[in-house]
Amino acid sequence: MIKSRGFLYLLGLMVLMLGIGLACGSPAPTPTAAPTVAPPEPTEVASSGGEWVTFTDENDYLQLDVPGDWEYSQDKDTENDYWYWDVFVSPDGHGRVDSVVFDDGTAWTGSSSGKQALYMLHEFYSSTGEEGDIRVSDDSIQKDGSERLVWESKAGDYSGISFFEVRNKTAFLMFTVWWDNDFEDQYLDTLNSVIDSYRVP
């Protein structure tokens, strides 16, 4: 009887120590959702006037020429450093150029980059923030291997052309020009010139 009582005390002590150890230990890791690119909310703003200027991506992924009087801003993922979003907006706000780079170190495979491009169009370029507003009228592979999407927001009455590709297996790039439909005649030639200037430095 003494032996079994001692065993119960020992067992109770071990359970107590295990409980304290679990309570004081670090919590089990919880799965986190895959990071997504957030819509641009400019944090730094600079503008220059006059002629066209050359923009070079901070990681030398691309270079392009833009009108010098368009306002430039950049938003960054300051928490994880997974993405950054460069933006150029015309003085009247009816034309825009975006360059997004997303790289969390995970390799893009198969159709995953195409799914990411469509996700971004529906999430960040749609005026409703939901699928159904953005209508893609053309999807074509370019000579450089990038993919081109011509699209329109029905509810927002604006249109755009987006190009996306993957570099170094893990970097997703999406370059977009867009305009308000009422200003297409004013901005389409300018935006086509920006597209034509796109190059790898």
Side-chain angles (χ1 to χ4, degrees):
M1 185 85 172
I2 295 177
K3 282 188 177 180
S4 72
R5 193 180 305 162
F7 174 75
L8 290 175
Y9 286 132
L10 179 61
L11 182 61
L13 183 60
M14 288 175 59
V15 168
L16 179 64
M17 289 175 58
L18 180 63
I20 292 171
L22 289 174
C24 294
S26 56
T30 55
T32 58
T36 57
V37 176
E41 295 175 7
T43 54
E44 298 176 27
V45 177
S47 61
S48 57
E51 301 175 13
W52 286 62
V53 295
T54 298
F55 165 76
T56 302
D57 172 80
E58 65 184 59
N59 286 310
D60 289 331
Y61 284 126
L62 63 99
Q63 250 181 5
L64 50 90
D65 300 327
V66 294
D69 61 346
W70 285 33
E71 186 175 86
Y72 168 75
S73 62
Q74 184 189 66
D75 191 24
K76 276 191 171 198
D77 173 12
T78 55
E79 185 176 333
N80 299 305
D81 200 30
Y82 287 153
W83 57 265
Y84 53 94
W85 195 311
D86 296 297
V87 178
F88 297 87
V89 181
S90 65
D92 62 6
H94 296 295
R96 180 167 160 158
V97 176
D98 292 357
S99 173
V100 179
V101 176
F102 177 85
D103 189 349
D104 67 354
T106 304
W108 295 88
T109 58
S111 62
S112 61
S113 62
K115 290 176 182 175
Q116 176 69 15
L118 291 175
Y119 165 78
M120 290 181 63
L121 286 180
H122 294 306
E123 185 73 15
F124 305 122
Y125 289 90
S126 166
S127 68
T128 63
E130 299 175 2
E131 285 190 38
D133 175 49
I134 297 291
R135 309 272 171 83
V136 176
S137 59
D138 183 59
D139 181 353
S140 56
I141 303 296
Q142 305 300 289
K143 290 179 184 177
D144 65 0
S146 65
E147 195 163 342
R148 176 179 180 257
L149 303 173
V150 179
W151 53 268
E152 181 178 6
S153 166
K154 293 295 183 185
D157 197 29
Y158 53 84
S159 301
I161 303 170
S162 296
F163 299 83
F164 67 92
E165 63 181 299
V166 173
R167 300 266 186 88
N168 304 328
K169 297 183 181 177
T170 62
F172 172 85
L173 281 65
M174 187 160 165
F175 164 63
T176 300
V177 299
W178 48 314
W179 61 91
D180 289 327
N181 290 339
D182 289 343
F183 293 81
E184 179 174 353
D185 291 341
Q186 181 177 341
Y187 284 110
L188 196 55
D189 286 345
T190 299
L191 293 170
N192 278 328
S193 294
V194 174
I195 291 171
D196 291 342
S197 75
Y198 184 99
R199 58 201 178 271
V200 178

